[in-house]
Amino acid sequence: MRILLIILILGSFGLIFPTHVEAKRPGPDPAVCRQYQGNWSREEKAAWEQLCSSGTYIAESPDNSVTGEFIHDLFTIRKYREKLNPNGIQILNAHFTSYLDLSGLNIPVGLYFEQTDFFGVVNFSEARIAGPLTLKNSGVPLLNMEGARAAGDVLVSGLFQQLKAKNVKIEGAFDIGEGEGEDIDLTNGEIGGELILDLWSGFPTKVDAPFV
């Protein structure tokens, strides 16, 4: 009786027979990681395989280019969108050969770009980003974030000519630093964290930032 009583007491606290075991998140279906759009290049197919399986794409050389349309597909075509890493996607050392236009999209994960050269405009206007946004040590001629929403920190560093961020809403910090910018407009921006301006060329020629 004494042994039975001890088992009943321990069992009631879940010490012998746990009442809940957290299930591991299943990994991506390898078959989905090998599904491609007909207009994707060989490099974009390889990029998708990496992003699908690990959440990170690392271009092996500057000649390995991707298009803005490829990234757009990942957020607008259901079978790719559903397989994105919930912790975000990382793109390193990439070279874009067309505009990256994600304006107005609901982006379900955070985005991290590093050592990436963009072509012309990078457009996040009116986009909803469910996480942080980083463009680190990257070349961005024009970054448009007007009316964008980011549920995390935003970091922009590298070389850029214009940063248009009127009415932007950022839940975390906005770090514009370790780079060179000529024209920054943050009119009516709402920033939940710290605003950091640390540019190589000193203060940019124009900063409008009367925060609400």
Side-chain angles (χ1 to χ4, degrees), residues 3 14 29 32 45 49-50 52 57 60 62 75 82 89 91-92 106-107 120 130 135 155 167-168 186 190-191 194:
I3 294 175
D29 182 353
V32 175
K45 292 175 182 178
E49 290 181 6
Q50 292 183 40
C52 179
Y57 161 60
E60 295 182 357
F75 299 127
E82 291 180 344
I89 63 173
I91 296 177
L92 287 71
N106 288 315
I107 300 172
L135 294 88
L155 166 67
N167 302 310
V168 71
L186 307 178
E190 295 183 16
I191 300 175
E194 186 178 6

Side-chain angles (χ1 to χ4, degrees), residues 70-89:
F70 164 67
I71 302 298
H72 189 275
D73 286 345
L74 301 186
F75 299 127
T76 55
I77 299 176
R78 183 176 178 178
K79 63 181 177 181
Y80 305 124
R81 179 186 173 96
E82 291 180 344
K83 294 301 179 182
L84 295 174
N85 191 315
N87 295 321
I89 63 173

Side-chain angles (χ1 to χ4, degrees), residues 159-170:
L159 299 176
F160 61 92
Q161 295 176 354
Q162 285 185 290
L163 172 55
K164 301 170 69 174
K166 289 182 179 180
N167 302 310
V168 71
K169 288 183 171 58
I170 298 170

Side-chain angles (χ1 to χ4, degrees), residues 34-52:
R34 292 191 296 269
Q35 293 180 9
Y36 319 113
Q37 292 300 103
N39 61 336
W40 287 0
S41 67
R42 177 181 300 178
E43 182 62 23
E44 289 169 337
K45 292 175 182 178
W48 168 240
E49 290 181 6
Q50 292 183 40
L51 289 170
C52 179

Side-chain angles (χ1 to χ4, degrees), residues 2-55:
R2 182 176 298 176
I3 294 175
L4 178 60
L5 180 61
I6 292 173
I7 291 175
L8 290 174
I9 292 173
L10 293 177
S12 67
F13 285 96
L15 298 178
I16 296 179
F17 308 110
T19 57
H20 173 70
V21 177
E22 184 176 354
K24 292 184 178 180
R25 180 178 178 270
D29 182 353
V32 175
C33 295
R34 292 191 296 269
Q35 293 180 9
Y36 319 113
Q37 292 300 103
N39 61 336
W40 287 0
S41 67
R42 177 181 300 178
E43 182 62 23
E44 289 169 337
K45 292 175 182 178
W48 168 240
E49 290 181 6
Q50 292 183 40
L51 289 170
C52 179
S53 61
S54 69

Side-chain angles (χ1 to χ4, degrees), residues 89-159:
I89 63 173
Q90 301 183 80
I91 296 177
L92 287 71
N93 305 329
H95 174 70
F96 279 81
T97 57
S98 64
Y99 296 148
L100 178 59
D101 185 359
L102 303 179
S103 57
L105 296 187
N106 288 315
I107 300 172
V109 298
L111 296 173
Y112 182 94
F113 298 93
E114 184 173 353
Q115 296 286 355
T116 293
D117 289 324
F118 293 93
F119 179 89
V121 178
V122 176
N123 193 355
F124 287 100
S125 63
E126 301 297 332
R128 304 293 185 269
I129 306 169
L133 171 64
T134 297
L135 294 88
K136 183 178 181 181
N137 298 332
S138 296
V140 187
L142 169 58
L143 176 58
N144 186 355
M145 293 188 63
E146 292 189 348
R149 307 289 185 268
D153 295 338
V154 174
L155 166 67
V156 180
S157 70
L159 299 176

